[in-house]
Amino acid sequence: MFARRTLKFLAAFVAGFALLALPGLAWPGYLDTPIGIVVAAPWLSVYLFHALGIPGLLEHGGACGWGWCAPTPLGWAFTALVWLLALWLAAWATARASAPSGERH
């Protein structure tokens, strides 16, 4: 699970996501495109985790009137860890599936 091959796939997945997110820095309307929505999904998932009942992820406990509450530092860290774990599991599965048959343990 911590093989070099898995870490290479993880690095490729993170780099690919960063490249997909890069146009959003120069073109704010990019997040309204279909690819932009995929890029924004990890950042928006903090609201899903809050709705599932995980406390402390949003400022003011999620009660910000008509606006969306910003994530707390815990919310940012939790969301980043969840998505990194998901990418790591995908990298592990990809590395295992693409390994030659003699290397699968």
Side-chain angles (χ1 to χ4, degrees):
M1 292 181 89
F2 295 105
R4 181 180 304 239
R5 184 176 177 86
T6 301
L7 296 177
K8 285 182 182 180
F9 276 108
L10 177 62
F13 289 163
V14 170
F17 183 79
L19 285 175
L20 281 176
L22 198 58
L25 295 174
W27 178 33
Y30 177 72
L31 294 178
D32 294 332
T33 66
I35 294 174
I37 292 171
V38 170
V39 169
W43 286 288
L44 295 175
S45 66
V46 70
Y47 299 103
L48 173 67
F49 299 137
H50 172 75
L52 291 174
I54 301 172
L57 300 180
L58 298 177
E59 291 181 352
H60 310 293
C64 291
W66 289 98
W68 288 25
C69 293
T72 62
L74 174 66
W76 286 114
F78 180 81
T79 304
L81 286 174
V82 166
W83 282 96
L84 281 174
L85 176 64
L87 283 176
W88 177 71
L89 287 173
W92 174 71
T94 304
R96 183 166 164 82
S98 66
S101 61
E103 291 183 23
R104 294 182 191 168
H105 310 306

